[in-house]
Amino acid sequence: MSERSALTRLTGNGNGNGECGEKDCPNVYRTATGSFVVQGDVSDAFTPPSGEGLVEIPEAVLREAFRALGW
């Protein structure tokens, strides 16, 4: 697993937005390979397969990420 600093942050200001306390989420990051990492509140909507997890983030965070990418 790489360090968060190696990812391109697409949302948030990095100073803690109060959504998750000191963990500074929800946020969307882009990896060097072009995939995405989503940080958010853990969701219990259903049980994901082994090795996977679910997070819940607000629509506004996804819209901010899309704007950052010019989509």
Side-chain angles (χ1 to χ4, degrees):
M1 178 84 44
S2 65
E3 293 292 321
R4 181 166 62 172
S5 62
L7 304 172
T8 301
R9 188 182 191 132
L10 300 176
T11 60
N13 61 14
N15 296 324
N17 58 17
E19 296 277 339
C20 292
E22 296 302 314
K23 295 181 183 126
D24 195 31
C25 60
N27 279 299
V28 178
Y29 301 86
R30 193 167 199 185
T31 68
T33 61
S35 62
F36 297 92
V37 175
V38 178
Q39 176 187 3
D41 292 326
V42 175
S43 174
D44 61 0
F46 64 90
T47 302
S50 179
E52 296 183 6
L54 304 175
V55 298
E56 188 171 341
I57 62 170
E59 179 181 332
V61 173
L62 289 178
R63 289 183 182 276
E64 183 180 352
F66 293 156
R67 280 192 300 274
L69 292 167
W71 293 358

